[in-house]
């Protein structure tokens, strides 16, 4: 599901003449102080010279270059913002055009003052929720090793405990994004078995055992996404048609490739003494890649997976990640504030048709 924005904003961002709008309100850790560096800031005016905002599956960050010749921009180290993009005076996340659907939260981790060509600039480097998870050491058990075991638990249940209880954030209900693994496959899951683990690594271990991904959103919220080939297209970008909610694209390249590895063996049910005398096996195959190239297998040991059907589920999940995390194409389009990470988009070349 893509970000929902108002029809007037959809129309504005596909117009021949556009007036980009960036909402960038920074808030201190205690919430008592804000600094508005938006395009229309009354306190600081439009100081934004460039904004590079990267959203990846397991990372998000931004670099903002601001004019600061009058040295008026104060220190905002540690402040957070949820950037809203739009056109004119509308933006996604203003309470009207999508509600709390601005981009996911970013924190200012570095602030630089640069003097160049007789002018002063400020550079802000921001990092997002995955970076915060990489900094958060999980300490749930007894000191000093803090071991924690979740017996007979699903990945979704463990994620809920960590995101909601430990981080104080929120996790959406699964709904239609259930891949029949994330809240079904029973795990005997250990944390800090080989000390020490940070939240991001734990999250990645859990997500890797499913066909799902976690998408960070505004207001410290995560949602589960289960991309499927059968999913409906969220947005279509075309070479000759700029009609909302879709739009034009500048360039697109498509690529298919052989997946490596293309077969996953999972071995489970390790003995209590560490031996493998009664192991179970899971197997998942990408036959098209094998037929086109060669069989390139990978082996995954899952000592706490007790049954062959569950081992098969885990093999299928691991191979799905190989396919999903392979770059299939690159598209260059005018900024579209309705598109979110893990949305399904298509590109149509209508030239000559």
């Amino acid at each position: 599901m893509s970000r929902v924005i108002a029809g007037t904003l959809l129309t504005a961002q596909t117009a021949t003449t556009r007036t980009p709008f960036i909402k960038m309100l920074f808030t201190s850790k205690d919430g008592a102080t804000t600094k508005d560096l938006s395009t229309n800031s009354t306190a600081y005016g439009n100081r934004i010279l460039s904004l590079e905002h990267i959203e990846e599956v397991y990372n998000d960050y931004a670099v903002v270059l601001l004019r600061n010749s009058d040295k008026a921009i104060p220190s905002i180290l540690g402040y957070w913002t949820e950037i809203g993009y739009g056109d004119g005076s509308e933006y996604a996340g203003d309470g009207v055009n999508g509600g709390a659907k601005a981009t996911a939260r970013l924190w200012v981790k570095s602030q630089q003052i640069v003097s160049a060509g007789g002018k002063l600039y400020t550079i802000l480097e921001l990092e997002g929720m995955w970076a915060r998870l990489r900094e958060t050491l999980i300490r749930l058990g007894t000191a000093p090793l803090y071991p924690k075991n979740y017996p007979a638990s699903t990945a979704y249940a463990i994620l809920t405990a960590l995101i909601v209880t430990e981080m104080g954030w929120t996790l959406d209900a699964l709904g239609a994004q259930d891949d029949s693994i994330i809240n079904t496959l029973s795990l005997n899951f250990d944390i800090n078995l080989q000390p020490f683990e940070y939240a991001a690594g734990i999250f990645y271990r859990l997500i890797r055992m499913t066909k799902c991904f976690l998408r960070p959103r505004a207001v410290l919220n995560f949602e589960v996404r289960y991309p499927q080939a059968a999913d409906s297209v969220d947005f279509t970008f075309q070479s000759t048609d700029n009609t909302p909610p879709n739009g034009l694209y500048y360039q697109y390249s498509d690529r298919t490739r052989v997946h490596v590895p293309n077969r996953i063996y999972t071995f489970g049910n390790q003995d209590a003494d560490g031996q493998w005398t009664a192991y179970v096996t899971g197997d998942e195959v990408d036959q098209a890649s094998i037929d086109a190239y060669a069989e390139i297998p990978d082996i995954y040991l899952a000592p706490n997976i007790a049954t062959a059907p569950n081992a098969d589920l885990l093999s299928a999940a691991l191979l799905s990640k190989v396919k999903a995390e392979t770059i299939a194409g690159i598209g260059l389009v005018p900024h579209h504030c309705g598109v979110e990470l893990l949305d399904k988009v298509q590109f149509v070349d209508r030239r000559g048709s």
Side-chain angles (χ1 to χ4, degrees):
M1 181 179 177
S2 58
R3 181 181 289 115
V4 177
I5 59 176
T8 52
L9 181 51
L10 284 171
T11 300
Q13 69 180 6
T14 56
T16 303
T17 301
R18 299 181 60 178
T19 306
F21 183 86
I22 299 173
K23 181 67 175 180
M24 207 158 48
L25 180 67
F26 291 88
T27 303
S28 61
K29 178 184 177 181
D30 60 9
T33 306
T34 59
K35 304 295 180 183
D36 191 353
L37 296 176
S38 306
T39 303
N40 66 344
S41 172
T42 56
Y44 299 100
N46 184 8
R47 295 173 178 263
I48 303 171
L49 291 174
S50 70
L51 169 56
E52 182 182 23
H53 188 175
I54 308 296
E55 294 179 291
E56 300 173 343
V57 176
Y58 304 110
N59 196 22
D60 51 341
Y61 55 95
V63 178
V64 185
L65 176 63
L66 303 165
R67 283 187 288 263
N68 194 20
S69 293
D70 58 359
K71 301 182 183 179
I73 298 177
S75 172
I76 53 174
L77 280 175
Y79 282 52
W80 61 263
T81 187
E82 294 172 348
I83 303 174
Y85 295 99
D87 278 272
S89 60
E90 297 180 286
Y91 62 94
D94 62 1
V96 176
N97 298 294
K101 299 297 183 184
T103 54
R105 185 163 298 188
L106 297 166
W107 286 266
V108 179
K109 301 294 288 295
S110 170
Q111 183 169 341
Q112 305 175 50
I113 295 178
V114 178
S115 176
K119 297 182 179 180
L120 285 177
Y121 305 93
T122 288
I123 299 176
L124 304 177
E125 297 180 32
L126 302 93
E127 294 181 327
M129 292 165 64
W130 277 103
R132 189 66 172 264
L133 293 175
R134 285 192 291 273
E135 299 166 345
T136 303
L137 188 66
I138 298 298
R139 295 175 294 172
L140 291 172
T142 304
L145 299 181
Y146 298 106
K148 173 67 176 179
N149 174 257
Y150 289 93
S153 300
T154 66
Y156 183 73
I158 301 169
L159 286 168
T160 299
L162 294 174
I163 291 174
V164 177
T165 304
E166 296 306 311
M167 299 302 300
W169 300 351
T170 59
L171 176 65
D172 286 350
L174 279 175
Q177 302 302 315
D178 191 342
D179 65 347
S180 298
I181 298 175
I182 191 170
N183 205 26
T184 303
L185 181 62
S186 181
L187 304 171
N188 183 20
F189 192 82
D190 290 298
I191 294 176
N192 288 335
L193 191 61
Q194 298 177 349
F196 291 98
E197 288 194 275
Y198 290 81
I202 298 169
F203 284 23
Y204 180 71
R205 280 207 290 139
L206 289 164
I207 287 297
R208 187 167 179 254
M209 292 189 286
T210 76
K211 296 181 180 180
C212 296
F213 295 89
L214 284 177
R215 179 164 72 180
R217 306 192 82 178
V219 201
L220 296 176
N221 172 245
F222 270 112
E223 69 172 351
V224 174
R225 294 288 295 164
Y226 171 33
Q228 301 177 80
D231 287 346
S232 59
V233 173
D234 293 300
F235 296 99
T236 299
F237 294 96
Q238 303 176 108
S239 56
T240 59
D241 187 358
N242 202 30
T243 303
N246 307 308
L248 293 170
Y249 69 84
Y250 297 132
Q251 178 182 323
Y252 176 66
S253 62
D254 199 0
R255 180 177 71 168
T256 57
R257 60 167 296 166
V258 172
H259 295 117
V260 176
N262 49 38
R263 186 166 196 165
I264 304 291
Y265 293 103
T266 297
F267 293 96
N269 199 39
Q270 185 181 27
D271 302 341
D273 60 2
Q275 301 301 308
W276 294 84
T277 57
Y279 66 81
V280 297
T281 306
D283 187 13
E284 184 71 11
V285 177
D286 178 3
Q287 196 61 50
S289 288
I290 292 175
D291 292 343
Y293 180 54
E295 182 177 306
I296 309 295
D298 195 9
I299 295 175
Y300 186 83
L301 298 181
N304 295 320
I305 295 294
T307 67
N310 280 347
D312 279 331
L313 284 177
L314 187 51
S315 289
L318 293 169
L319 189 57
S320 77
K321 286 294 190 291
V322 173
K323 295 178 179 179
E325 295 175 5
T326 299
I327 295 177
I330 298 175
L332 180 62
V333 305
H335 186 268
H336 192 303
C337 58
V339 179
E340 290 188 279
L341 184 70
L342 299 173
D343 281 348
K344 185 173 183 178
V345 299
Q346 70 174 354
F347 292 82
V348 178
D349 191 338
R350 294 189 176 278
R351 290 172 296 183
S353 61

